[in-house]
Amino acid sequence: MIESLRLDEIRAARQQLGERVRTTPVHQWESPTLDELLGSETRVHLKLELLQRTGTFKPRGALLNMLQLSAEELARGVTAISAGNHAVAVAFAARSLGVDAKVVMIKTANPLRVELCRRYGATLEFAETAHAGFERVREIERTERRAFIHPFEGRVTALGTATVGLEFCEQVAPLDAVIVPVGGGGLCAGIASAVKVLWPACRVFGVEPTGADSMRRSFEAGEPRSIERVATIADSLGAPYAAPITFELCRRNVEAITLVSDAELREAMRHTLREFKLAVEPAGASALAALLGPLRETLRGRRVGLIVCGSNIDAASYARLVQPDS
């Protein structure tokens, strides 16, 4: 039986992370565009986790997991698998704790994420696909006895991401709904757990890209499922499978998983630049894409929270993605 996250545990996790992570700000969207798209009664608050250290929410889970390791385990080093953002977070966490890190990145990882990972001092390997990357990282874990820091699974990881939800609930008045990006589900599992403890009436929606819908498939099947391939511009949401702990925490606390297309992600990226002056990666625009797309009528006139999860993308890729005809 997977134990739900308790509020005292979430508060303790935030205290343990301390100043190693930032308390990211909240921005309220106020503009004629919002009135036109969603009506003047709709209130939208954005949790700007893209301003977290390393540019995404990922250090919260990576650091919390590494802080649980023994001195002997830390001495042997850590390893991880990622399309980029988790790799960067593990490299950052390892550097801050004086630990050696070897990470496997998917070969299509954004160049900025590769550069950041190297600058934090990690040793890099590249894999053809996410499935191949998971196989390789397990081999490193076995042969080099490094601690594997999972990109999304685990109760400790969920406690780390729950600190995002805790902060959000302390920064704004109770909301009617919160929309959370879903890759492997670690962010959503934690935030949804925290929100439901503090605001039981608040509805939590997860959002996945249509080309990487492992959590939606898992919800429909009633158990964790995998996908054959990842096909989306939101590569940081491209987890190849759902895992038991994150799936169960999401199942308990998330009302529904909604899907957005690449076209909707691009449009939301353009809105994010125009309305908030923020250049985000596709995953960082996914919650807004869901609000402006499949959830528009459901949440019209409501108080809504959006998680802007990250913004690690190079200028050339960003410019290409936000072109109207891309």
Side-chain angles (χ1 to χ4, degrees):
M1 181 67 177
I2 296 168
E3 184 184 359
S4 295
L5 305 189
R6 304 188 311 272
L7 182 57
D8 65 309
E9 292 181 291
I10 300 170
R11 293 193 188 282
R14 186 63 188 89
Q15 185 172 6
Q16 187 173 19
L17 288 171
E19 294 184 0
R20 293 184 178 93
V21 300
R22 296 181 176 127
T23 297
T24 52
V26 172
H27 172 76
Q28 183 174 354
W29 185 11
E30 297 177 300
S31 82
T33 301
L34 172 61
D35 297 345
E36 293 165 7
L37 292 173
L38 292 165
S40 60
E41 298 303 310
T42 308
R43 297 290 180 267
V44 178
H45 299 265
L46 292 80
K47 176 65 168 165
L48 301 181
E49 196 63 11
L50 81 167
L51 300 179
Q52 186 54 259
R53 302 187 195 280
T54 79
T56 75
F57 70 94
K58 287 288 189 177
R60 296 177 186 260
L63 271 166
L64 198 63
N65 273 288
M66 290 172 65
L67 289 169
Q68 314 308 308
L69 298 176
S70 68
E72 181 181 353
E73 289 172 316
L74 290 172
R76 291 197 296 267
V78 297
T79 189
I81 165 69
S82 172
N85 287 327
H86 178 64
V88 176
V90 169
F92 160 78
R95 179 173 177 175
S96 67
L97 297 177
V99 176
D100 185 71
K102 178 184 282 189
V103 300
V104 180
M105 300 181 79
I106 314 306
K107 72 172 187 177
T108 55
N110 186 271
L112 177 63
R113 300 175 199 164
V114 175
E115 177 190 348
L116 287 171
C117 210
R118 287 197 170 115
R119 290 181 68 181
Y120 283 122
T123 300
L124 303 187
E125 291 190 16
F126 294 91
E128 289 290 320
T129 66
H131 288 289
F134 272 96
E135 290 177 8
R136 175 55 184 149
V137 83
R138 289 300 188 186
E139 182 182 5
I140 293 171
E141 179 187 24
R142 183 179 67 256
T143 59
E144 300 185 23
R145 301 179 65 208
R146 292 175 180 267
F148 175 42
I149 309 300
H150 200 284
F152 54 82
E153 174 65 335
R155 200 167 182 280
V156 174
T157 299
L159 280 169
T161 59
T163 64
V164 181
L166 174 67
E167 289 177 10
F168 203 9
C169 290
E170 292 176 342
Q171 289 168 310
V172 298
L175 302 174
D176 298 311
V178 174
I179 307 175
V180 189
V182 176
L187 178 65
C188 194
I191 290 177
S193 295
V195 167
K196 283 298 186 180
V197 168
L198 289 160
W199 298 336
C202 182
R203 304 160 77 190
V204 181
F205 295 90
V207 54
E208 284 185 310
T210 55
D213 61 339
S214 57
M215 190 62 74
R216 181 193 63 84
R217 295 188 192 190
S218 300
F219 268 43
E220 290 181 350
E223 61 182 11
R225 290 292 174 88
S226 62
I227 55 177
E228 298 76 27
R229 60 188 291 267
V230 173
T232 174
I233 61 171
D235 57 340
S236 55
L237 298 183
Y241 63 86
I245 296 173
T246 48
F247 164 73
E248 179 59 24
L249 292 175
C250 285
R251 186 194 64 79
R252 291 178 192 172
N253 299 303
V254 175
E255 177 148 334
I257 302 294
T258 189
L259 300 180
V260 292
S261 68
D262 282 357
E264 288 172 318
L265 287 168
R266 290 189 179 101
E267 180 63 17
M269 290 172 70
R270 291 190 283 268
H271 273 297
T272 303
L273 179 63
R274 184 168 56 248
E275 294 295 312
F276 317 126
K277 317 310 177 193
L278 297 173
V280 299
E281 62 182 275
S286 61
L288 180 61
L291 177 62
L292 298 182
L295 295 177
R296 180 182 296 197
E297 295 308 316
T298 300
L299 299 180
R300 182 184 296 274
R302 304 292 185 178
R303 289 175 49 83
V304 183
L306 307 180
I307 307 299
V308 185
C309 61
S311 184
N312 283 334
I313 186 169
D314 68 289
S317 297
Y318 178 81
R320 174 175 51 81
L321 288 171
V322 296
Q323 290 300 314
D325 58 349
S326 60

